[in-house]
Amino acid sequence: MASPSRRLQTKPVITCFKSVLLIYTFIFWITGVILLAVGIWGKVSLENYFSLLNEKATNVPFVLIGTGTVIILLGTFGCFATCRASAWMLKLYAMFLTLIFLVELVAAIVGFVFRHEIKNSFKNNYEKALKQYNSTGDYRSHAVDKIQSTLHCCGVTDYTDWTNTNYYSEKGFPKSCCKREDCTPQRDADKVNNEGCFIKVMTIIESEMGVVAGISFGVACFQLIGIFLAYCLSRAITNNQYEIV
């Protein structure tokens, strides 16, 4: 049986670890809420971009929503484990954090390796969407209109891409190519935006990639801190139990 003075030295350590881990878990829970919100926002606002990548890309918002939900549940579990000061629950919490860290690491590596394929996929699908474009409102045509009107662009590389489409031969340029909302361009190139959409979309994506990479790296490092804290608190609780015995 350990001396009372040693037990008194261990308890402040446990209290300190519990306080820090509770703060960490709360912040971790907030990141889950943010991921959930970003996934919902991506589904609502960026669906046009995802739909022109490939069919699997449209699942990206659902992946974010699912990840955010898992983090919220895991954060709640971590808070409960910390408050209960349960050694085995804290070890389980650390294991789940490690698993999520590895999944994020693999996802980051895959995204970096296949980043050029994403560009090529978008360009090819955008060209295909132009050739199959119609004004009846299928999802690809709607995506093209949304991108062209939002970014004030026309075609893939420039507005001349439309001249090779069936829609142009029948009706001219689509209204989404207009420089003004009330124009009817038909085949008048002076009334449409000259810049292509591909460069503009890639510029937006590349400008945000650094931010996304930085946030991902920060979240991954943050999870390593949580793994360390959960493991240390679990060890401290276990050692304290042995000291009491």
Side-chain angles (χ1 to χ4, degrees), residues 138-174:
D138 68 281
Y139 77 98
R140 284 184 179 272
S141 298
H142 177 71
V144 169
D145 285 334
K146 186 70 174 178
I147 291 172
Q148 291 188 154
S149 60
T150 302
L151 300 182
H152 305 291
C153 55
C154 186
V156 183
T157 54
D158 56 41
Y159 71 98
T160 58
D161 293 324
W162 278 103
T163 60
N164 299 320
T165 64
N166 294 329
Y167 183 88
Y168 178 85
S169 61
E170 296 174 2
K171 300 181 180 180
F173 293 103

PDB file of all heavy atoms in Angstrom, residues 138-174:
ATOM      1  N   ASP A 138     -31.470  18.988 -66.791  1.00  0.00           N
ATOM      2  CA  ASP A 138     -30.823  17.838 -66.174  1.00  0.00           C
ATOM      3  C   ASP A 138     -29.681  18.349 -65.299  1.00  0.00           C
ATOM      4  O   ASP A 138     -29.214  19.474 -65.449  1.00  0.00           O
ATOM      5  CB  ASP A 138     -30.308  16.864 -67.240  1.00  0.00           C
ATOM      6  CG  ASP A 138     -29.160  17.456 -68.040  1.00  0.00           C
ATOM      7  OD1 ASP A 138     -29.444  18.272 -68.952  1.00  0.00           O
ATOM      8  OD2 ASP A 138     -28.006  17.134 -67.755  1.00  0.00           O
ATOM      9  N   TYR A 139     -29.214  17.523 -64.357  1.00  0.00           N
ATOM     10  CA  TYR A 139     -28.313  18.023 -63.320  1.00  0.00           C
ATOM     11  C   TYR A 139     -26.979  18.534 -63.864  1.00  0.00           C
ATOM     12  O   TYR A 139     -26.416  19.511 -63.354  1.00  0.00           O
ATOM     13  CB  TYR A 139     -28.087  16.950 -62.251  1.00  0.00           C
ATOM     14  CG  TYR A 139     -27.130  15.844 -62.625  1.00  0.00           C
ATOM     15  CD1 TYR A 139     -25.806  15.881 -62.222  1.00  0.00           C
ATOM     16  CD2 TYR A 139     -27.559  14.749 -63.382  1.00  0.00           C
ATOM     17  CE1 TYR A 139     -24.930  14.875 -62.553  1.00  0.00           C
ATOM     18  CE2 TYR A 139     -26.690  13.739 -63.717  1.00  0.00           C
ATOM     19  CZ  TYR A 139     -25.367  13.800 -63.305  1.00  0.00           C
ATOM     20  OH  TYR A 139     -24.505  12.795 -63.635  1.00  0.00           O
ATOM     21  N   ARG A 140     -26.449  17.916 -64.937  1.00  0.00           N
ATOM     22  CA  ARG A 140     -25.183  18.383 -65.505  1.00  0.00           C
ATOM     23  C   ARG A 140     -25.353  19.738 -66.195  1.00  0.00           C
ATOM     24  O   ARG A 140     -24.505  20.625 -66.051  1.00  0.00           O
ATOM     25  CB  ARG A 140     -24.628  17.355 -66.487  1.00  0.00           C
ATOM     26  CG  ARG A 140     -24.009  16.142 -65.812  1.00  0.00           C
ATOM     27  CD  ARG A 140     -23.395  15.202 -66.837  1.00  0.00           C
ATOM     28  NE  ARG A 140     -22.789  14.049 -66.218  1.00  0.00           N
ATOM     29  CZ  ARG A 140     -21.532  14.004 -65.791  1.00  0.00           C
ATOM     30  NH1 ARG A 140     -20.763  15.061 -65.914  1.00  0.00           N
ATOM     31  NH2 ARG A 140     -21.053  12.908 -65.229  1.00  0.00           N
ATOM     32  N   SER A 141     -26.436  19.885 -66.922  1.00  0.00           N
ATOM     33  CA  SER A 141     -26.698  21.165 -67.592  1.00  0.00           C
ATOM     34  C   SER A 141     -26.932  22.264 -66.559  1.00  0.00           C
ATOM     35  O   SER A 141     -26.475  23.401 -66.718  1.00  0.00           O
ATOM     36  CB  SER A 141     -27.919  21.044 -68.512  1.00  0.00           C
ATOM     37  OG  SER A 141     -27.679  20.089 -69.529  1.00  0.00           O
ATOM     38  N   HIS A 142     -27.636  21.911 -65.509  1.00  0.00           N
ATOM     39  CA  HIS A 142     -27.860  22.884 -64.440  1.00  0.00           C
ATOM     40  C   HIS A 142     -26.544  23.276 -63.783  1.00  0.00           C
ATOM     41  O   HIS A 142     -26.340  24.456 -63.429  1.00  0.00           O
ATOM     42  CB  HIS A 142     -28.814  22.286 -63.391  1.00  0.00           C
ATOM     43  CG  HIS A 142     -29.047  23.173 -62.219  1.00  0.00           C
ATOM     44  ND1 HIS A 142     -29.788  24.335 -62.294  1.00  0.00           N
ATOM     45  CD2 HIS A 142     -28.609  23.091 -60.932  1.00  0.00           C
ATOM     46  CE1 HIS A 142     -29.812  24.922 -61.107  1.00  0.00           C
ATOM     47  NE2 HIS A 142     -29.106  24.180 -60.260  1.00  0.00           N
ATOM     48  N   ALA A 143     -25.637  22.296 -63.610  1.00  0.00           N
ATOM     49  CA  ALA A 143     -24.328  22.577 -63.022  1.00  0.00           C
ATOM     50  C   ALA A 143     -23.526  23.518 -63.908  1.00  0.00           C
ATOM     51  O   ALA A 143     -22.875  24.452 -63.412  1.00  0.00           O
ATOM     52  CB  ALA A 143     -23.566  21.273 -62.806  1.00  0.00           C
ATOM     53  N   VAL A 144     -23.565  23.290 -65.221  1.00  0.00           N
ATOM     54  CA  VAL A 144     -22.865  24.162 -66.173  1.00  0.00           C
ATOM     55  C   VAL A 144     -23.400  25.585 -66.079  1.00  0.00           C
ATOM     56  O   VAL A 144     -22.636  26.557 -66.003  1.00  0.00           O
ATOM     57  CB  VAL A 144     -23.003  23.626 -67.613  1.00  0.00           C
ATOM     58  CG1 VAL A 144     -22.508  24.660 -68.615  1.00  0.00           C
ATOM     59  CG2 VAL A 144     -22.226  22.328 -67.775  1.00  0.00           C
ATOM     60  N   ASP A 145     -24.720  25.734 -66.089  1.00  0.00           N
ATOM     61  CA  ASP A 145     -25.332  27.064 -65.995  1.00  0.00           C
ATOM     62  C   ASP A 145     -24.955  27.766 -64.698  1.00  0.00           C
ATOM     63  O   ASP A 145     -24.673  28.969 -64.679  1.00  0.00           O
ATOM     64  CB  ASP A 145     -26.858  26.958 -66.099  1.00  0.00           C
ATOM     65  CG  ASP A 145     -27.320  26.687 -67.527  1.00  0.00           C
ATOM     66  OD1 ASP A 145     -26.591  27.060 -68.459  1.00  0.00           O
ATOM     67  OD2 ASP A 145     -28.403  26.099 -67.698  1.00  0.00           O
ATOM     68  N   LYS A 146     -24.969  27.005 -63.603  1.00  0.00           N
ATOM     69  CA  LYS A 146     -24.668  27.583 -62.292  1.00  0.00           C
ATOM     70  C   LYS A 146     -23.229  28.087 -62.237  1.00  0.00           C
ATOM     71  O   LYS A 146     -22.956  29.196 -61.744  1.00  0.00           O
ATOM     72  CB  LYS A 146     -24.900  26.526 -61.210  1.00  0.00           C
ATOM     73  CG  LYS A 146     -24.751  27.037 -59.795  1.00  0.00           C
ATOM     74  CD  LYS A 146     -25.867  27.978 -59.418  1.00  0.00           C
ATOM     75  CE  LYS A 146     -25.783  28.375 -57.954  1.00  0.00           C
ATOM     76  NZ  LYS A 146     -26.844  29.335 -57.572  1.00  0.00           N
ATOM     77  N   ILE A 147     -22.301  27.286 -62.751  1.00  0.00           N
ATOM     78  CA  ILE A 147     -20.887  27.667 -62.731  1.00  0.00           C
ATOM     79  C   ILE A 147     -20.642  28.870 -63.638  1.00  0.00           C
ATOM     80  O   ILE A 147     -19.959  29.824 -63.255  1.00  0.00           O
ATOM     81  CB  ILE A 147     -20.001  26.477 -63.150  1.00  0.00           C
ATOM     82  CG1 ILE A 147     -20.034  25.393 -62.066  1.00  0.00           C
ATOM     83  CG2 ILE A 147     -18.563  26.919 -63.405  1.00  0.00           C
ATOM     84  CD1 ILE A 147     -19.341  24.110 -62.461  1.00  0.00           C
ATOM     85  N   GLN A 148     -21.205  28.849 -64.849  1.00  0.00           N
ATOM     86  CA  GLN A 148     -20.981  29.929 -65.801  1.00  0.00           C
ATOM     87  C   GLN A 148     -21.564  31.249 -65.308  1.00  0.00           C
ATOM     88  O   GLN A 148     -20.933  32.305 -65.445  1.00  0.00           O
ATOM     89  CB  GLN A 148     -21.574  29.563 -67.170  1.00  0.00           C
ATOM     90  CG  GLN A 148     -20.818  28.445 -67.853  1.00  0.00           C
ATOM     91  CD  GLN A 148     -21.262  28.207 -69.290  1.00  0.00           C
ATOM     92  OE1 GLN A 148     -20.485  27.714 -70.116  1.00  0.00           O
ATOM     93  NE2 GLN A 148     -22.494  28.527 -69.608  1.00  0.00           N
ATOM     94  N   SER A 149     -22.745  31.210 -64.724  1.00  0.00           N
ATOM     95  CA  SER A 149     -23.367  32.443 -64.246  1.00  0.00           C
ATOM     96  C   SER A 149     -22.693  32.962 -62.978  1.00  0.00           C
ATOM     97  O   SER A 149     -22.573  34.175 -62.777  1.00  0.00           O
ATOM     98  CB  SER A 149     -24.859  32.213 -63.990  1.00  0.00           C
ATOM     99  OG  SER A 149     -25.058  31.206 -63.024  1.00  0.00           O
ATOM    100  N   THR A 150     -22.217  32.052 -62.117  1.00  0.00           N
ATOM    101  CA  THR A 150     -21.581  32.460 -60.856  1.00  0.00           C
ATOM    102  C   THR A 150     -20.185  33.015 -61.083  1.00  0.00           C
ATOM    103  O   THR A 150     -19.808  34.046 -60.506  1.00  0.00           O
ATOM    104  CB  THR A 150     -21.507  31.272 -59.876  1.00  0.00           C
ATOM    105  OG1 THR A 150     -22.820  30.778 -59.636  1.00  0.00           O
ATOM    106  CG2 THR A 150     -20.893  31.701 -58.554  1.00  0.00           C
ATOM    107  N   LEU A 151     -19.404  32.348 -61.940  1.00  0.00           N
ATOM    108  CA  LEU A 151     -18.010  32.743 -62.169  1.00  0.00           C
ATOM    109  C   LEU A 151     -17.845  33.675 -63.370  1.00  0.00           C
ATOM    110  O   LEU A 151     -16.731  34.089 -63.674  1.00  0.00           O
ATOM    111  CB  LEU A 151     -17.134  31.498 -62.374  1.00  0.00           C
ATOM    112  CG  LEU A 151     -17.092  30.502 -61.211  1.00  0.00           C
ATOM    113  CD1 LEU A 151     -16.161  29.343 -61.535  1.00  0.00           C
ATOM    114  CD2 LEU A 151     -16.660  31.182 -59.928  1.00  0.00           C
ATOM    115  N   HIS A 152     -18.946  33.983 -64.041  1.00  0.00           N
ATOM    116  CA  HIS A 152     -18.917  34.872 -65.220  1.00  0.00           C
ATOM    117  C   HIS A 152     -17.932  34.356 -66.267  1.00  0.00           C
ATOM    118  O   HIS A 152     -16.997  35.046 -66.685  1.00  0.00           O
ATOM    119  CB  HIS A 152     -18.553  36.305 -64.811  1.00  0.00           C
ATOM    120  CG  HIS A 152     -19.443  36.867 -63.746  1.00  0.00           C
ATOM    121  ND1 HIS A 152     -20.769  37.176 -63.987  1.00  0.00           N
ATOM    122  CD2 HIS A 152     -19.213  37.155 -62.441  1.00  0.00           C
ATOM    123  CE1 HIS A 152     -21.317  37.652 -62.878  1.00  0.00           C
ATOM    124  NE2 HIS A 152     -20.406  37.631 -61.924  1.00  0.00           N
ATOM    125  N   CYS A 153     -18.136  33.107 -66.659  1.00  0.00           N
ATOM    126  CA  CYS A 153     -17.283  32.474 -67.650  1.00  0.00           C
ATOM    127  C   CYS A 153     -18.164  31.762 -68.672  1.00  0.00           C
ATOM    128  O   CYS A 153     -19.377  31.685 -68.518  1.00  0.00           O
ATOM    129  CB  CYS A 153     -16.324  31.482 -66.989  1.00  0.00           C
ATOM    130  SG  CYS A 153     -17.161  30.222 -65.984  1.00  0.00           S
ATOM    131  N   CYS A 154     -17.520  31.216 -69.708  1.00  0.00           N
ATOM    132  CA  CYS A 154     -18.286  30.556 -70.771  1.00  0.00           C
ATOM    133  C   CYS A 154     -17.407  29.509 -71.444  1.00  0.00           C
ATOM    134  O   CYS A 154     -16.311  29.818 -71.930  1.00  0.00           O
ATOM    135  CB  CYS A 154     -18.748  31.603 -71.787  1.00  0.00           C
ATOM    136  SG  CYS A 154     -19.857  30.956 -73.071  1.00  0.00           S
ATOM    137  N   GLY A 155     -17.857  28.257 -71.456  1.00  0.00           N
ATOM    138  CA  GLY A 155     -17.093  27.188 -72.068  1.00  0.00           C
ATOM    139  C   GLY A 155     -16.034  26.631 -71.129  1.00  0.00           C
ATOM    140  O   GLY A 155     -15.946  26.998 -69.962  1.00  0.00           O
ATOM    141  N   VAL A 156     -15.202  25.734 -71.676  1.00  0.00           N
ATOM    142  CA  VAL A 156     -14.153  25.106 -70.878  1.00  0.00           C
ATOM    143  C   VAL A 156     -12.901  25.984 -70.885  1.00  0.00           C
ATOM    144  O   VAL A 156     -12.518  26.546 -69.860  1.00  0.00           O
ATOM    145  CB  VAL A 156     -13.816  23.698 -71.414  1.00  0.00           C
ATOM    146  CG1 VAL A 156     -12.767  23.035 -70.531  1.00  0.00           C
ATOM    147  CG2 VAL A 156     -15.065  22.844 -71.488  1.00  0.00           C
ATOM    148  N   THR A 157     -12.260  26.105 -72.061  1.00  0.00           N
ATOM    149  CA  THR A 157     -11.079  26.968 -72.168  1.00  0.00           C
ATOM    150  C   THR A 157     -11.478  28.399 -72.514  1.00  0.00           C
ATOM    151  O   THR A 157     -10.877  29.345 -72.025  1.00  0.00           O
ATOM    152  CB  THR A 157     -10.117  26.431 -73.246  1.00  0.00           C
ATOM    153  OG1 THR A 157     -10.837  26.256 -74.490  1.00  0.00           O
ATOM    154  CG2 THR A 157      -9.548  25.087 -72.811  1.00  0.00           C
ATOM    155  N   ASP A 158     -12.492  28.569 -73.382  1.00  0.00           N
ATOM    156  CA  ASP A 158     -13.067  29.883 -73.666  1.00  0.00           C
ATOM    157  C   ASP A 158     -14.438  29.679 -74.321  1.00  0.00           C
ATOM    158  O   ASP A 158     -14.904  28.547 -74.483  1.00  0.00           O
ATOM    159  CB  ASP A 158     -12.148  30.736 -74.569  1.00  0.00           C
ATOM    160  CG  ASP A 158     -11.793  30.038 -75.877  1.00  0.00           C
ATOM    161  OD1 ASP A 158     -12.687  29.400 -76.472  1.00  0.00           O
ATOM    162  OD2 ASP A 158     -10.626  30.117 -76.300  1.00  0.00           O
ATOM    163  N   TYR A 159     -15.082  30.773 -74.693  1.00  0.00           N
ATOM    164  CA  TYR A 159     -16.460  30.709 -75.199  1.00  0.00           C
ATOM    165  C   TYR A 159     -16.597  29.943 -76.513  1.00  0.00           C
ATOM    166  O   TYR A 159     -17.686  29.454 -76.865  1.00  0.00           O
ATOM    167  CB  TYR A 159     -17.016  32.123 -75.369  1.00  0.00           C
ATOM    168  CG  TYR A 159     -16.410  32.891 -76.523  1.00  0.00           C
ATOM    169  CD1 TYR A 159     -17.065  32.977 -77.761  1.00  0.00           C
ATOM    170  CD2 TYR A 159     -15.185  33.534 -76.395  1.00  0.00           C
ATOM    171  CE1 TYR A 159     -16.513  33.677 -78.821  1.00  0.00           C
ATOM    172  CE2 TYR A 159     -14.628  34.228 -77.448  1.00  0.00           C
ATOM    173  CZ  TYR A 159     -15.293  34.308 -78.663  1.00  0.00           C
ATOM    174  OH  TYR A 159     -14.746  34.984 -79.716  1.00  0.00           O
ATOM    175  N   THR A 160     -15.490  29.799 -77.281  1.00  0.00           N
ATOM    176  CA  THR A 160     -15.571  29.126 -78.578  1.00  0.00           C
ATOM    177  C   THR A 160     -15.860  27.635 -78.441  1.00  0.00           C
ATOM    178  O   THR A 160     -16.229  26.985 -79.430  1.00  0.00           O
ATOM    179  CB  THR A 160     -14.263  29.310 -79.367  1.00  0.00           C
ATOM    180  OG1 THR A 160     -13.164  28.794 -78.608  1.00  0.00           O
ATOM    181  CG2 THR A 160     -14.021  30.793 -79.659  1.00  0.00           C
ATOM    182  N   ASP A 161     -15.706  27.076 -77.243  1.00  0.00           N
ATOM    183  CA  ASP A 161     -16.012  25.659 -77.045  1.00  0.00           C
ATOM    184  C   ASP A 161     -17.481  25.369 -77.347  1.00  0.00           C
ATOM    185  O   ASP A 161     -17.827  24.245 -77.733  1.00  0.00           O
ATOM    186  CB  ASP A 161     -15.694  25.245 -75.602  1.00  0.00           C
ATOM    187  CG  ASP A 161     -14.203  25.287 -75.311  1.00  0.00           C
ATOM    188  OD1 ASP A 161     -13.414  24.966 -76.222  1.00  0.00           O
ATOM    189  OD2 ASP A 161     -13.827  25.639 -74.186  1.00  0.00           O
ATOM    190  N   TRP A 162     -18.324  26.378 -77.148  1.00  0.00           N
ATOM    191  CA  TRP A 162     -19.756  26.175 -77.391  1.00  0.00           C
ATOM    192  C   TRP A 162     -20.078  26.019 -78.873  1.00  0.00           C
ATOM    193  O   TRP A 162     -21.092  25.413 -79.232  1.00  0.00           O
ATOM    194  CB  TRP A 162     -20.558  27.348 -76.818  1.00  0.00           C
ATOM    195  CG  TRP A 162     -20.805  27.228 -75.358  1.00  0.00           C
ATOM    196  CD1 TRP A 162     -20.162  27.884 -74.347  1.00  0.00           C
ATOM    197  CD2 TRP A 162     -21.768  26.384 -74.719  1.00  0.00           C
ATOM    198  NE1 TRP A 162     -20.648  27.504 -73.132  1.00  0.00           N
ATOM    199  CE2 TRP A 162     -21.649  26.587 -73.325  1.00  0.00           C
ATOM    200  CE3 TRP A 162     -22.728  25.486 -75.192  1.00  0.00           C
ATOM    201  CZ2 TRP A 162     -22.443  25.920 -72.396  1.00  0.00           C
ATOM    202  CZ3 TRP A 162     -23.519  24.816 -74.267  1.00  0.00           C
ATOM    203  CH2 TRP A 162     -23.374  25.032 -72.893  1.00  0.00           C
ATOM    204  N   THR A 163     -19.226  26.550 -79.748  1.00  0.00           N
ATOM    205  CA  THR A 163     -19.516  26.496 -81.186  1.00  0.00           C
ATOM    206  C   THR A 163     -19.459  25.074 -81.738  1.00  0.00           C
ATOM    207  O   THR A 163     -19.916  24.824 -82.857  1.00  0.00           O
ATOM    208  CB  THR A 163     -18.519  27.384 -81.958  1.00  0.00           C
ATOM    209  OG1 THR A 163     -17.183  26.924 -81.725  1.00  0.00           O
ATOM    210  CG2 THR A 163     -18.641  28.835 -81.504  1.00  0.00           C
ATOM    211  N   ASN A 164     -18.894  24.134 -80.966  1.00  0.00           N
ATOM    212  CA  ASN A 164     -18.811  22.735 -81.408  1.00  0.00           C
ATOM    213  C   ASN A 164     -19.921  21.871 -80.831  1.00  0.00           C
ATOM    214  O   ASN A 164     -19.876  20.650 -80.935  1.00  0.00           O
ATOM    215  CB  ASN A 164     -17.455  22.143 -80.999  1.00  0.00           C
ATOM    216  CG  ASN A 164     -16.286  22.882 -81.624  1.00  0.00           C
ATOM    217  OD1 ASN A 164     -16.339  23.268 -82.787  1.00  0.00           O
ATOM    218  ND2 ASN A 164     -15.228  23.101 -80.842  1.00  0.00           N
ATOM    219  N   THR A 165     -20.913  22.488 -80.200  1.00  0.00           N
ATOM    220  CA  THR A 165     -21.987  21.731 -79.568  1.00  0.00           C
ATOM    221  C   THR A 165     -23.268  21.768 -80.392  1.00  0.00           C
ATOM    222  O   THR A 165     -23.483  22.685 -81.195  1.00  0.00           O
ATOM    223  CB  THR A 165     -22.287  22.301 -78.165  1.00  0.00           C
ATOM    224  OG1 THR A 165     -22.770  23.645 -78.293  1.00  0.00           O
ATOM    225  CG2 THR A 165     -21.037  22.304 -77.306  1.00  0.00           C
ATOM    226  N   ASN A 166     -24.107  20.774 -80.186  1.00  0.00           N
ATOM    227  CA  ASN A 166     -25.406  20.735 -80.866  1.00  0.00           C
ATOM    228  C   ASN A 166     -26.317  21.872 -80.401  1.00  0.00           C
ATOM    229  O   ASN A 166     -27.100  22.412 -81.189  1.00  0.00           O
ATOM    230  CB  ASN A 166     -26.094  19.388 -80.606  1.00  0.00           C
ATOM    231  CG  ASN A 166     -25.346  18.228 -81.227  1.00  0.00           C
ATOM    232  OD1 ASN A 166     -24.705  18.384 -82.269  1.00  0.00           O
ATOM    233  ND2 ASN A 166     -25.391  17.065 -80.586  1.00  0.00           N
ATOM    234  N   TYR A 167     -26.208  22.222 -79.132  1.00  0.00           N
ATOM    235  CA  TYR A 167     -27.067  23.291 -78.609  1.00  0.00           C
ATOM    236  C   TYR A 167     -26.774  24.609 -79.326  1.00  0.00           C
ATOM    237  O   TYR A 167     -27.696  25.353 -79.678  1.00  0.00           O
ATOM    238  CB  TYR A 167     -26.829  23.451 -77.110  1.00  0.00           C
ATOM    239  CG  TYR A 167     -27.727  24.489 -76.461  1.00  0.00           C
ATOM    240  CD1 TYR A 167     -28.989  24.141 -75.978  1.00  0.00           C
ATOM    241  CD2 TYR A 167     -27.325  25.818 -76.336  1.00  0.00           C
ATOM    242  CE1 TYR A 167     -29.819  25.080 -75.394  1.00  0.00           C
ATOM    243  CE2 TYR A 167     -28.144  26.768 -75.759  1.00  0.00           C
ATOM    244  CZ  TYR A 167     -29.396  26.396 -75.287  1.00  0.00           C
ATOM    245  OH  TYR A 167     -30.217  27.340 -74.717  1.00  0.00           O
ATOM    246  N   TYR A 168     -25.479  24.894 -79.572  1.00  0.00           N
ATOM    247  CA  TYR A 168     -25.118  26.138 -80.240  1.00  0.00           C
ATOM    248  C   TYR A 168     -25.642  26.168 -81.667  1.00  0.00           C
ATOM    249  O   TYR A 168     -26.141  27.205 -82.132  1.00  0.00           O
ATOM    250  CB  TYR A 168     -23.597  26.309 -80.234  1.00  0.00           C
ATOM    251  CG  TYR A 168     -23.127  27.554 -80.950  1.00  0.00           C
ATOM    252  CD1 TYR A 168     -23.084  28.772 -80.285  1.00  0.00           C
ATOM    253  CD2 TYR A 168     -22.734  27.506 -82.285  1.00  0.00           C
ATOM    254  CE1 TYR A 168     -22.663  29.926 -80.938  1.00  0.00           C
ATOM    255  CE2 TYR A 168     -22.316  28.645 -82.950  1.00  0.00           C
ATOM    256  CZ  TYR A 168     -22.278  29.860 -82.271  1.00  0.00           C
ATOM    257  OH  TYR A 168     -21.864  30.997 -82.933  1.00  0.00           O
ATOM    258  N   SER A 169     -25.541  25.043 -82.365  1.00  0.00           N
ATOM    259  CA  SER A 169     -26.004  25.006 -83.754  1.00  0.00           C
ATOM    260  C   SER A 169     -27.502  25.226 -83.863  1.00  0.00           C
ATOM    261  O   SER A 169     -28.001  25.703 -84.891  1.00  0.00           O
ATOM    262  CB  SER A 169     -25.620  23.669 -84.401  1.00  0.00           C
ATOM    263  OG  SER A 169     -26.235  22.597 -83.714  1.00  0.00           O
ATOM    264  N   GLU A 170     -28.231  24.899 -82.786  1.00  0.00           N
ATOM    265  CA  GLU A 170     -29.687  25.072 -82.799  1.00  0.00           C
ATOM    266  C   GLU A 170     -30.137  26.403 -82.201  1.00  0.00           C
ATOM    267  O   GLU A 170     -31.016  27.079 -82.748  1.00  0.00           O
ATOM    268  CB  GLU A 170     -30.356  23.929 -82.027  1.00  0.00           C
ATOM    269  CG  GLU A 170     -30.139  22.556 -82.651  1.00  0.00           C
ATOM    270  CD  GLU A 170     -30.702  21.446 -81.784  1.00  0.00           C
ATOM    271  OE1 GLU A 170     -31.291  21.768 -80.723  1.00  0.00           O
ATOM    272  OE2 GLU A 170     -30.551  20.266 -82.147  1.00  0.00           O
ATOM    273  N   LYS A 171     -29.509  26.796 -81.090  1.00  0.00           N
ATOM    274  CA  LYS A 171     -30.005  27.976 -80.362  1.00  0.00           C
ATOM    275  C   LYS A 171     -28.947  29.029 -80.070  1.00  0.00           C
ATOM    276  O   LYS A 171     -29.270  30.110 -79.575  1.00  0.00           O
ATOM    277  CB  LYS A 171     -30.628  27.534 -79.032  1.00  0.00           C
ATOM    278  CG  LYS A 171     -31.806  26.585 -79.202  1.00  0.00           C
ATOM    279  CD  LYS A 171     -32.381  26.204 -77.851  1.00  0.00           C
ATOM    280  CE  LYS A 171     -33.560  25.243 -78.014  1.00  0.00           C
ATOM    281  NZ  LYS A 171     -34.139  24.848 -76.705  1.00  0.00           N
ATOM    282  N   GLY A 172     -27.674  28.739 -80.318  1.00  0.00           N
ATOM    283  CA  GLY A 172     -26.622  29.688 -79.993  1.00  0.00           C
ATOM    284  C   GLY A 172     -26.089  29.481 -78.586  1.00  0.00           C
ATOM    285  O   GLY A 172     -26.212  28.400 -78.012  1.00  0.00           O
ATOM    286  N   PHE A 173     -25.506  30.516 -78.022  1.00  0.00           N
ATOM    287  CA  PHE A 173     -24.962  30.432 -76.668  1.00  0.00           C
ATOM    288  C   PHE A 173     -26.083  30.322 -75.640  1.00  0.00           C
ATOM    289  O   PHE A 173     -27.153  30.914 -75.814  1.00  0.00           O
ATOM    290  CB  PHE A 173     -24.116  31.674 -76.338  1.00  0.00           C
ATOM    291  CG  PHE A 173     -22.853  31.792 -77.136  1.00  0.00           C
ATOM    292  CD1 PHE A 173     -22.774  32.682 -78.195  1.00  0.00           C
ATOM    293  CD2 PHE A 173     -21.749  31.012 -76.825  1.00  0.00           C
ATOM    294  CE1 PHE A 173     -21.600  32.796 -78.938  1.00  0.00           C
ATOM    295  CE2 PHE A 173     -20.581  31.121 -77.556  1.00  0.00           C
ATOM    296  CZ  PHE A 173     -20.504  32.014 -78.619  1.00  0.00           C
ATOM    297  N   PRO A 174     -25.851  29.581 -74.554  1.00  0.00           N
ATOM    298  CA  PRO A 174     -26.863  29.549 -73.492  1.00  0.00           C
ATOM    299  C   PRO A 174     -26.897  30.880 -72.743  1.00  0.00           C
ATOM    300  O   PRO A 174     -25.934  31.652 -72.768  1.00  0.00           O
ATOM    301  CB  PRO A 174     -26.380  28.414 -72.587  1.00  0.00           C
ATOM    302  CG  PRO A 174     -24.914  28.374 -72.799  1.00  0.00           C
ATOM    303  CD  PRO A 174     -24.695  28.725 -74.241  1.00  0.00           C
TER     304      PRO A 174
END
